[in-house]
Amino acid sequence: MRVVVGQGSCGVATGARKTSAELERLIAADGLGIPVEKTGCVGNCYLEPIVDVYDDDGRLASRYVRVQPEKAGEIVERHLKGGKPVEEMEISQADRRFLDSQKRIVLRNAGLINPESIDAYIEAGGYKAIEKALKGMTPEAVIDEIKISGLRGRGGAGFPTWFKWDAARKNRGASKYMVCNADEGDPGAFMDRSVLEGDPHSLLEGMEIGGYAIGANEGVIYVRAEYPLAIHRLELAIGQARDRGFLGKNLFGTGFDFDIRIKAGAGAFVCGEETALIASLEGERGMPRLKPPFPAEKGFWQQPTNINNVETFANVPWIISSGGAAFGAVGTEKSKGTKVFALAGKIKKGGLVEVPMGLPLRDVIYGIGDGIKNDKEFKAVQMGGPSGGCIPASLIDTPVDYENITKTGAIVGSGGMIVMDETTCMVDMARYFLDFTRKESCGKCNYCRIGTKRMLEILERITSGEGKDGDIELLEELAEKIKDGSMCGLGQTAPNPVLTTIRYFRNEYEDHIYRKKCTAHSCKPLLTFSITEGCTGCTLCSRRCPVEAIRGERRQRHAIDQEKCIKCGKCEESCKFNAILRD
Amino acid sequence: MCENCNCRQESDAGFSALAPVIEKYGSARGSLITILQKAQDIYGYLSLDAINYIAAKTGVKPAKIYGVATFYTQFRLAPIGKNLIMLCKGTACHVNGADLIEEAVSEFLGIGDGETTEDGLFTLNNVACLGCCSLAPVMMVKGADGEETFGNLTKDKVKAVLGEIRDKGLEVAV
């Protein structure tokens, strides 16, 4: 018997370490001798901390959810000692559906194996694919297998992986590099973090296979510094792989050398762009340069370099083991395989979901995510982060694949899926993303540097009630110019959040500009606070009001002086009777 | 700078902890960011003196180091408090009210983004995304004991968390 506690960042944030320590303490106190292990994120982040109990045959006997430290005793007493599952703490049938309706290739091991143990990875079939490739396949055969699979880059652009590998293979250089982009910079996306934390060896193996295919002997993982746990587990994994001879010289006796090192990024969204990432690897400011030459010709230190995203690499061992055709059988005609999405925002069951390409959005949001928090009305889903766009409720039956999502004006992107309800203001969302891209623009291209700033200023004006006639048209004009006048993907896609919100929610822009109203009741300067009949005259709001705008006799309905009101919302927060109306 | 007198001479004395880092990475090309990260780990921020020291030891121009240090959000040119609050402003957190959480932090500690409390206990930094989106809104607090992430924050919860850290910090100080 063994006990496993989910300890990805999300599990840890909900107290999983304390739960794990408490389990260990209780088990030791009773001398039960049952090991307490850790695993990565299984995906049901909303149920953390999650504790799995495996029976002596290694089968999952019970999965316990929301196990705060104080509940650990129950599991030890009744299950570990008493031999009976604690039914009321077990995962419900409905929550089980969250996982059962997924198809897991990238996340095949996440939440199941101990990410800090190479043995656990090997037991799950790990390092078999690299052995197969090295011993029985030529580099060309590996690339062919990837071509058959139809795998496309999971970082955002969706470029065929085999094509990049083939180009890097054909170019000559003194040395070649296989680089992994683990600088997951999209706000609202955490797919890569979960792979890094939950199954780091699958990334190493994928890079190794890629390295063999293109003829590289060195791999570099560019990982963001904001993911300390991911870096820690990667370091452990690399050390273990070296010790076991899965990294280093003469792998599997075939004469192929390959080693991997980690480079911690220092925080710059633009480094998601290949050429900027390379500049950063070289210790420079992460500014992109013109392509061609492409990294496949002149990349890291001017040598042929191939860059793929974490999720792309994590697919590779599975493809080599199971065959490209098996991968190609999943998904749609042009978008093969699965895609991992980070489902978050106003969703009931948020977490990581991996689904076959082509599944309708509705099935993801309602089927797996169980719909909108507090049963509010679904308004839109944001996909692709700052480079993507908002897909409105009317398009909820859109299949999730590269082509269909691009048609909506959004992009599949790296996999962020932020769900929004009726209380989310779409103009404010556009402002939010422009604020992000404006800060992250590296400044090289004028249109991106100055254009995003001007667009942000207009959006700030609109959300603070000072929008004027012609603003929407000006935004549209600027958007086109920025797309045309920027060199890299950051600038070329930065206007997308504005363009999609104008396309689908033009009425909200018009409400802000002409009626001075925010229909989502979110933009504070456009709100009016008033006190309804529900007021009991408790005086709490008038005491909390920082500008003494609320007057009224005790036990009598109060009133807000609109001239004085600064719309801070303190009255609404303090009211215990729901008697403050925001309009 | 020399710490022994007022001569204001360049001196290596203040950077003994940094010397092994430069020894290890100084000659490897492309290591500037790594050196700056290690320097910041040691001193908490990159002082002008530290930048000059690294420049002198590696031969990289100070202007270039400054350029790199100001390009990336991770690097700080001013000291920070004992606890660094990294308040997530990712999309999921934004949708779930990260602005309200920032308001609460500001109300409770009297500091805004990038500022440090007078007692030197807290610095507030808004960050792009911590990747714990399903627990939004989220913040990470990095203190002497490592970092801890707090999720599903409310205005009251964030104040309680910070209050606890402050009380602990003051106890140690006494």
Side-chain angles (χ1 to χ4, degrees):
Chain A
M1 201 183 245
R2 66 197 170 95
V3 179
V4 177
V5 184
Q7 293 184 46
S9 282
C10 36
V12 171
T14 47
R17 273 195 192 131
K18 286 176 195 148
T19 301
S20 180
E22 182 66 3
L23 282 166
E24 274 177 27
R25 190 183 69 80
L26 293 170
I27 289 171
D30 283 328
L32 296 175
I34 298 169
V36 179
E37 295 170 0
K38 61 178 86 165
T39 187
C41 171
V42 70
N44 317 52
C45 303
Y46 65 102
L47 294 176
E48 300 279 5
I50 298 174
V51 175
D52 289 341
V53 178
Y54 287 86
D55 64 18
D56 293 330
D57 302 325
R59 274 191 306 253
L60 180 61
S62 292
R63 166 162 290 165
Y64 296 110
V65 299
R66 299 200 177 101
V67 187
Q68 296 304 327
E70 58 275 13
K71 285 188 182 167
E74 203 83 359
I75 297 175
V76 174
E77 235 10 77
R78 286 165 58 187
H79 192 152
L80 304 186
K81 284 166 78 180
K84 292 240 166 60
V86 190
E87 279 170 16
E88 69 271 22
M89 282 167 63
E90 279 186 302
I91 187 168
S92 70
Q93 206 62 40
D95 286 325
R96 224 170 270 176
R97 211 179 59 210
F98 181 92
L99 281 179
D100 293 346
S101 39
Q102 300 185 31
K103 161 98 186 145
R104 298 201 148 204
I105 293 176
V106 174
L107 302 176
R108 57 193 177 277
N109 292 324
L112 298 175
I113 66 165
N114 180 351
E116 299 185 0
S117 152
I118 193 169
D119 289 320
Y121 182 69
I122 294 170
E123 230 169 83
Y127 291 110
K128 281 278 185 297
I130 179 67
E131 187 175 1
K132 179 178 173 186
L134 288 180
K135 287 184 171 169
M137 296 168 86
T138 61
E140 288 82 1
V142 171
I143 294 176
D144 270 345
E145 204 62 48
I146 300 295
K147 188 175 179 180
I148 293 167
S149 77
L151 176 66
R152 291 166 68 175
R154 297 294 193 242
F159 203 73
T161 304
W162 76 270
F163 191 88
K164 279 168 78 168
W165 287 17
D166 194 47
R169 160 139 206 95
K170 285 176 179 152
N171 285 309
R172 298 273 156 253
S175 51
K176 292 185 186 180
Y177 296 97
M178 199 67 183
V179 176
C180 172
N181 178 358
D183 191 45
E184 192 166 50
D186 271 17
F190 55 100
M191 300 75 50
D192 295 348
R193 174 178 67 72
S194 286
V195 174
L196 298 169
E197 288 177 359
D199 195 11
H201 286 285
S202 73
L203 167 63
L204 303 186
E205 191 178 359
M207 286 180 72
E208 223 171 320
I209 295 169
Y212 173 64
I214 70 163
N217 301 112
E218 202 180 330
V220 186
I221 304 172
Y222 185 81
V223 57
R224 62 196 302 239
E226 284 93 334
Y227 287 175
L229 186 60
I231 294 178
H232 169 70
R233 291 199 176 145
L234 272 176
E235 279 169 349
L236 274 179
I238 291 174
Q240 291 167 347
R242 279 183 193 145
D243 289 346
R244 295 294 183 89
F246 293 130
L247 282 179
K249 300 267 178 218
N250 191 21
L251 301 176
F252 296 97
T254 59
F256 175 63
D257 302 338
F258 194 75
D259 208 349
I260 296 176
R261 64 195 165 89
I262 299 172
K263 193 101 181 178
F269 179 65
V270 69
C271 288
E273 162 71 32
E274 290 186 329
T275 55
L277 190 151
I278 289 169
S280 183
L281 281 180
E282 293 173 353
E284 307 279 335
R285 287 162 71 94
M287 292 168 91
R289 60 156 176 79
L290 268 179
K291 293 189 276 193
F294 288 92
E297 303 157 58
K298 283 188 159 68
F300 191 31
W301 303 127
Q302 299 296 309
Q303 300 301 317
T305 302
N306 181 76
I307 303 178
N308 285 121
N309 159 274
V310 174
E311 192 182 332
T312 313
F313 281 122
N315 273 304
V316 170
W318 192 94
I319 292 171
I320 296 300
S321 293
S322 318
F327 188 84
V330 182
T332 66
E333 195 200 332
K334 286 184 175 160
S335 305
K336 301 292 189 193
T338 60
K339 177 79 194 81
V340 184
F341 291 100
L343 195 55
K346 301 283 178 82
I347 186 98
K348 268 191 196 152
K349 297 179 179 172
L352 270 196
V353 300
E354 181 172 356
V355 293
M357 288 277 192
L359 196 72
L361 266 175
R362 181 189 296 279
D363 290 16
V364 180
I365 294 169
Y366 284 94
I368 298 175
D370 208 22
I372 312 304
K373 242 188 221 174
N374 305 322
D375 291 315
K376 290 213 164 119
E377 201 179 319
F378 170 61
K379 187 183 209 172
V381 57
Q382 211 286 342
M383 284 184 71
S387 309
C390 292
I391 301 170
S394 59
L395 296 178
I396 193 171
D397 291 309
T398 307
V400 182
D401 60 44
Y402 291 111
E403 283 70 30
N404 280 299
I405 296 297
T406 307
K407 265 188 228 155
T408 68
I411 56 168
V412 169
S414 59
M417 224 186 233
I418 310 286
V419 176
M420 298 162 190
D421 68 8
E422 63 207 36
T423 63
T424 314
C425 169
M426 302 316 282
V427 187
D428 178 63
M429 276 325 292
R431 182 202 58 77
Y432 165 81
F433 281 115
L434 254 291
D435 183 45
F436 179 84
T437 33
R438 196 262 310 161
K439 282 181 195 147
E440 295 293 341
S441 168
C442 81
K444 192 163 184 165
C445 307
N446 296 354
Y447 270 104
C448 177
R449 182 183 69 240
I450 306 168
T452 52
K453 170 86 174 151
R454 292 289 100 86
M455 281 182 88
L456 175 64
E457 283 167 359
I458 297 168
L459 290 163
E460 280 175 344
R461 241 191 22 241
I462 297 176
T463 52
S464 58
E466 284 155 34
K468 51 187 190 213
D469 193 29
D471 274 349
I472 301 177
E473 291 72 21
L474 187 56
L475 281 171
E476 285 172 328
E477 190 193 334
L478 274 168
E480 290 312 319
K481 298 239 158 94
I482 294 169
K483 275 171 167 258
D484 290 344
S486 302
M487 191 181 69
C488 86
L490 190 148
Q492 286 163 3
T493 59
N496 285 352
V498 181
L499 289 175
T500 53
T501 47
I502 293 180
R503 178 165 160 194
Y504 297 116
F505 301 95
R506 198 180 183 100
N507 58 331
E508 284 198 31
Y509 280 84
E510 289 168 350
D511 283 342
H512 280 74
I513 296 171
Y514 303 108
R515 289 180 51 228
K516 306 293 175 203
K517 278 283 164 210
C518 173
T519 37
H521 299 148
S522 143
C523 297
K524 275 193 176 163
L526 295 171
L527 296 179
T528 318
F529 287 92
S530 56
I531 297 176
T532 65
E533 282 174 3
C535 175
T536 61
C538 74
T539 76
L540 186 59
C541 59
S542 76
R543 280 180 279 141
R544 289 284 162 83
C545 179
V547 291
E548 298 181 353
I550 304 178
R551 287 287 152 87
E553 294 297 316
R554 179 172 276 279
R555 306 226 172 118
Q556 296 206 348
R557 181 174 164 183
H558 284 42
I560 299 175
D561 182 344
Q562 298 299 337
E563 296 275 298
K564 280 188 184 169
C565 176
I566 55 165
K567 296 160 187 181
C568 67
K570 287 270 184 310
C571 49
E572 190 186 29
E573 267 169 41
S574 64
C575 183
K576 295 192 171 78
F577 306 96
N578 243 344
I580 308 281
L581 181 74
R582 54 159 81 191
D583 184 36
Chain B
M1 292 285 174
C2 171
E3 290 177 334
N4 303 322
C5 57
N6 288 327
C7 66
R8 302 191 66 77
Q9 287 290 303
E10 288 296 329
S11 148
D12 294 356
F15 296 104
S16 54
L18 196 52
V21 172
I22 294 196
E23 199 163 303
K24 186 169 174 195
Y25 298 100
S27 54
R29 60 178 181 167
S31 301
L32 180 57
I33 292 173
T34 311
I35 294 173
L36 295 181
Q37 283 170 333
K38 304 270 177 201
Q40 183 160 292
D41 280 347
I42 297 169
Y43 304 108
Y45 74 108
L46 299 173
S47 65
L48 210 53
D49 289 344
I51 289 176
N52 285 330
Y53 175 80
I54 294 168
K57 294 289 167 185
T58 59
V60 182
K61 297 258 186 311
K64 185 177 166 181
I65 300 180
Y66 190 77
V68 170
T70 50
F71 186 83
Y72 295 97
T73 50
Q74 188 191 6
F75 296 121
R76 295 178 292 265
L77 301 177
I80 53 159
K82 288 204 178 77
N83 298 284
L84 177 65
I85 305 167
M86 286 176 271
L87 185 71
C88 184
K89 289 284 201 159
T91 320
C93 289
H94 178 74
V95 172
N96 281 313
D99 287 344
L100 293 176
I101 305 303
E102 187 183 357
E103 240 176 66
V105 175
S106 297
E107 270 169 31
F108 191 69
L109 297 175
I111 50 171
D113 181 24
E115 294 174 357
T116 302
T117 51
E118 272 177 28
D119 58 11
L121 275 181
F122 293 99
T123 298
L124 173 63
N125 263 8
N126 290 344
V127 297
C129 186
L130 292 169
C132 298
C133 310
S134 37
L135 304 173
V138 179
M139 70 173 178
M140 192 189 269
V141 181
K142 196 172 175 183
D145 313 328
E147 56 266 309
E148 193 167 352
T149 312
F150 302 91
N152 295 319
L153 293 174
T154 58
K155 279 186 124 176
D156 291 334
K157 192 171 165 188
V158 76
K159 287 177 186 172
V161 167
L162 295 177
E164 208 173 293
I165 296 172
R166 183 163 68 184
D167 293 345
K168 237 190 258 170
L170 291 176
E171 257 171 52
V172 174
V174 172

